[in-house]
Amino acid sequence: MTYEILPAARAGRVPFADGETWYRVTGDLESGVTPLVVAHGGPGATHQYLLSLTAFADLDGPARPVIHYDQLGCGNSTHLPDADPSYWTVELFLDELDNLLYHLGIADNYHLLGQSWGGMLAAEHAVRRPGGLKRLVISNSPASMPLWSEAASLLRAELPPEVDDTLRTHEEAGTTDSPEYAAAMKVFYDRHVCRIVSNPPAVASAFAALDANPTVYHTMNGPSEFHVVGSLKEWSVVDRLPEIDVPVLVISGAYDEAQPVCVVPYAKLIPDARWEVFEDSSHLPNVEEPARYVAVVESFLRGGS
């Protein structure tokens, strides 16, 4: 089952830092139903692959407004390809999220769903105990990048030897922009990022946007999902997870690059957390099992209105 991407009720840009943050709103923010803010992955990907989540605004029962946005440096927001690498920090994106919440007038009442890097950002947001956050969904995200790299090593060991040899050869040589590296990388991605091959248009569009403008991704992550050499290499929120004081739904896929080793801390250390594994999905259960994904998330959110 797939969901039709609903049209935006409104879209706009809000000034932030050295540019503007683009956003779109599906549904009515004045409806009285707690809106869902969606933070995309990357860092440096775009909102496109999460547009199926506009479905929350068209379910039976009270329609839930949904806010998508592109983080600074990517998508429809301002691109800053010449910014110093030190510009791109977790704090920058936390401030951007706060700025958007206040601009939309929802800072006192909202749910937050973060996917992959967006979930890392969402966890960082939640440990600060913002007063308006009601419920949190951490989807397909690691609690630390060292644990993410550990999971990647386990999955790479299962690749055909010639594929991993190609990856290592180019990583050691610094030639990760090679077509050979891209082809070998795709073998991993087809197993552990999105198992729908060819990728759905929304997913393909997000990947294309990332390829066209990899500034933030290369700076903070690295050349691929499994070769993390950027500024996030040592990032961790593990020791701060007990500070999260709202109900949390943790999501991962059975074939996910976010393997249990890097997800378990969320489930164990957040006081009120539940963990749902999507057995037929990898890193994008929102497109691999969309009906179940929407049903599970909405059931959780309705517990907080």
Side-chain angles (χ1 to χ4, degrees):
M1 178 181 179
T2 58
Y3 285 104
E4 178 185 357
I5 295 172
L6 301 180
R10 58 185 270 212
R13 301 169 72 89
V14 53
F16 172 72
D18 297 302
E20 295 178 316
T21 303
W22 174 91
Y23 66 89
R24 85 189 301 270
V25 179
T26 310
D28 181 8
L29 288 179
E30 305 299 324
S31 68
V33 179
T34 303
L36 175 65
V37 179
V38 179
H40 65 70
T46 69
H47 73 284
Q48 292 154 300
Y49 74 98
L50 293 166
L51 278 173
S52 61
L53 302 188
T54 60
F56 291 109
D58 193 36
L59 297 178
D60 293 336
R64 184 176 306 285
V66 181
I67 296 103
H68 288 82
Y69 73 104
D70 281 333
Q71 295 158 23
L72 193 68
C74 66
N76 296 320
S77 293
T78 305
H79 293 197
L80 298 166
D82 298 323
D84 188 90
S86 64
Y87 184 82
W88 304 109
T89 64
V90 173
E91 289 71 24
L92 174 76
F93 293 109
L94 287 171
D95 290 345
E96 180 183 37
L97 175 57
D98 287 341
N99 187 59
L100 179 64
L101 294 171
Y102 282 103
H103 174 79
L104 294 175
I106 61 171
D108 62 346
N109 181 39
Y110 61 97
H111 301 310
L112 178 60
L113 184 153
Q115 199 279 331
S116 195
W117 146 254
M120 297 158 60
L121 185 66
E124 287 274 9
H125 179 77
V127 300
R128 289 158 172 75
R129 296 187 172 183
L133 178 62
K134 303 307 180 186
R135 293 197 166 220
L136 175 66
V137 181
I138 298 174
S139 186
N140 316 96
S141 307
S144 90
M145 289 307 273
L147 290 176
W148 174 268
S149 294
E150 181 180 338
S153 294
L154 295 172
L155 296 175
R156 283 179 62 153
E158 299 174 356
L159 294 173
E162 65 275 12
V163 173
D164 197 39
D165 288 345
T166 298
L167 294 172
R168 293 187 188 282
T169 296
H170 287 287
E171 288 166 359
E172 291 168 3
T175 54
T176 53
D177 56 351
S178 159
E180 284 187 346
Y181 187 82
M185 184 172 70
K186 188 174 186 304
V187 176
F188 182 97
Y189 282 29
D190 287 349
R191 291 184 177 199
H192 303 299
V193 179
C194 183
R195 291 167 64 84
I196 302 174
V197 182
S198 300
N199 293 160
V203 177
S205 294
F207 276 130
L210 185 58
D211 288 342
N213 177 31
T215 301
V216 182
Y217 187 73
H218 285 177
T219 299
M220 297 185 74
N221 185 84
S224 69
E225 293 291 276
F226 45 78
H227 186 50
V228 181
V229 293
S231 59
L232 285 175
K233 183 177 181 180
E234 300 302 326
W235 174 86
S236 176
V237 74
V238 171
D239 61 347
R240 292 171 286 147
L241 292 176
E243 299 171 29
I244 296 178
D245 63 352
V246 296
V248 177
L249 172 64
V250 181
I251 290 174
S252 66
Y255 303 96
D256 203 335
E257 56 183 336
Q259 287 286 289
V261 66
C262 60
V263 176
V264 161
Y266 288 127
K268 284 192 172 181
L269 298 176
I270 296 172
D272 185 2
R274 64 212 70 180
W275 184 8
E276 190 82 23
V277 177
F278 285 70
E279 296 295 341
D280 295 323
S281 294
S282 56
H283 197 53
L284 300 177
N286 61 292
V287 297
E288 295 168 293
E289 297 181 68
R292 182 175 171 224
Y293 190 91
V294 169
V296 168
V297 172
E298 180 60 19
S299 175
F300 168 72
L301 295 181
R302 286 191 180 182
S305 78

